[in-house]
Amino acid sequence: MAEFPWLTIVGIGEDGWDGLSRAARTALEAAELVMGSSRHLALVPALTVETREWPVPFAAGIPLLLEARGRRVVMLASGDPFWFGAGTSVTRHLAPGEWVAHPAPSSFALAAARLGWSLQDSICLGLHAAPFGRLRPHLAPASRLLLLIRDGVAASTLASYLEGAGFGASVLHILEALGGPRERIRQCLAEAFDLEDVAHPVLIGVEVRGVGEALPRASGLDDAWFASDGQMTKRPVRALTLSALAPRPGELLWDLGAGSGSVGIEWLLAHPAMRAVAVEADATRAARAQANAAALGVDRLQLCIGRAPEILPRETPDAVFIGGGLSAALLEALWARLPTGTRIVANAVTLESEALLAVWQRERGGTLLRIELADAAPLGSRTGWRARYPVVQWSVTR
């Protein structure tokens, strides 16, 4: 490795050379190679050093960059490269000390400055290559969103998505080429979007309005949020299950016998850094779980088609939920494989599975909880209680 940081990551705005810091300019003047997209290279046309256009897809350019290790290289990126930018995509391949970065104001900061919005109170998302379904957890009246999108065509798609979700009355602020001579800001309602000349780069500020239903943030979503054939952990039991699983930011869940995927999906909704892998033997149910996840804005739910313990995910989880397919063989396989500290929650409905959990709780510890619920239902001309099947829940830390 070279004794100096061989790579300088320079954030550049639409104002080009004029907006660069002294340190960024010095790095460009001393560079032996400058890499960037065609748009970024065009912002510094006076460069006389060797330049190389970053290829598409972005990942294809990383080996080309690494080949230049030891030379003085500048990588051009948009605004703040470490906020929904290219910075971490590159630095994850480098050792500390190999790079230095000089960020410019981010598009989010520029947009907040133009609109007069409080940046810390606005939801900022990079949706260049992500589905607009990721917006679903954030769609609530009076919310403000700042969204980086792929191009002008995507602005129309965003408007259609908002209208379809019941938020067509949302006000869209279309901010194009912020900070440069081509800057333009326009406004319209999502349901009345008719702009055909939106220029890249573009950021959309959204003032959420409309009659669409906001997604509750507490555990135990109404069952109606999930498409299901009936194989689903119902709302009250799901709330208790999520409480027992105790999700913490960044953790991985195995959802075994996922059914509609409701437990794994609510796990993912707990925090943007959560991860979940669902194992489901029925391919139709697995596809339905995937669709439920996408509809609720957590498209990162991974699916394994098969039956546990014959099929188990590779990566070690922090927590495991057994919602279906409970058996002695499954518990034995989990106990043999999972490390100390893994949290396991299993729900049982049948007498046989209840008896199995009772044995395992006696031998391995943990707690047993019997959940008995009843719903008010017509009883002749009056109202009475209709009992649901009781659920026995075993919670244990390996």
Side-chain angles (χ1 to χ4, degrees), residues 241-268:
T241 298
L242 267 295
S243 177
L245 287 169
R248 300 172 177 88
E251 289 189 327
L252 172 65
L253 172 74
W254 286 0
D255 184 0
L256 306 183
S260 67
S262 61
V263 170
I265 290 169
E266 289 215 42
W267 170 279
L268 292 172

Side-chain angles (χ1 to χ4, degrees), residues 32-265:
E32 298 174 81
L33 171 67
V34 177
M35 287 188 65
S37 68
S38 58
R39 182 175 71 85
H40 292 142
L41 292 172
L43 292 171
V44 283
L47 287 178
T48 58
V49 68
E50 178 189 352
T51 61
R52 185 177 299 170
E53 187 173 324
W54 200 282
V56 177
F58 181 85
I62 295 176
L64 301 178
L65 179 71
L66 298 180
E67 287 175 3
R69 180 184 268 116
R71 302 176 67 187
R72 293 187 181 274
V73 181
V74 170
M75 169 188 167
L76 295 177
S78 296
D80 185 344
F82 293 93
W83 197 3
F84 295 105
T88 52
S89 298
V90 170
T91 57
R92 66 167 59 105
H93 300 280
L94 305 176
E98 286 195 79
W99 83 89
V100 64
H102 303 300
S106 69
S107 295
F108 298 117
L110 293 174
R114 301 297 190 272
L115 299 176
W117 292 5
S118 171
L119 191 56
Q120 71 270 16
D121 295 325
S122 302
I123 296 165
C124 300
L125 295 174
L127 300 175
H128 302 88
F132 288 129
R134 288 191 184 178
L135 295 174
R136 196 60 189 88
H138 307 293
L139 295 180
S143 292
R144 285 177 167 175
L145 318 178
L146 293 172
L147 311 175
L148 280 171
I149 61 175
R150 183 181 63 256
D151 52 27
V153 175
S156 176
T157 306
L158 170 63
S160 297
Y161 172 79
L162 291 170
E163 185 174 8
F167 296 96
S170 297
V171 179
L172 304 186
H173 301 269
I174 298 89
L175 302 100
E176 303 160 76
L178 285 172
R182 298 185 299 119
E183 179 176 309
R184 179 170 59 173
I185 301 175
R186 292 176 287 177
Q187 179 179 307
C188 66
L189 298 182
E191 60 194 10
F193 188 92
D194 61 354
L195 304 177
E196 298 180 353
D197 60 342
V198 179
H200 178 72
V202 57
L203 182 147
I204 308 292
V206 183
E207 296 182 72
V208 181
R209 299 175 187 172
V211 298
E213 188 174 0
L215 186 65
R217 303 312 296 264
S219 294
L221 294 178
D222 191 284
D223 295 343
W225 284 99
F226 304 95
S228 170
D229 60 1
Q231 292 298 312
M232 177 175 67
T233 303
K234 301 301 192 295
R235 181 181 63 81
V237 175
R238 192 182 333 118
L240 291 170
T241 298
L242 267 295
S243 177
L245 287 169
R248 300 172 177 88
E251 289 189 327
L252 172 65
L253 172 74
W254 286 0
D255 184 0
L256 306 183
S260 67
S262 61
V263 170
I265 290 169

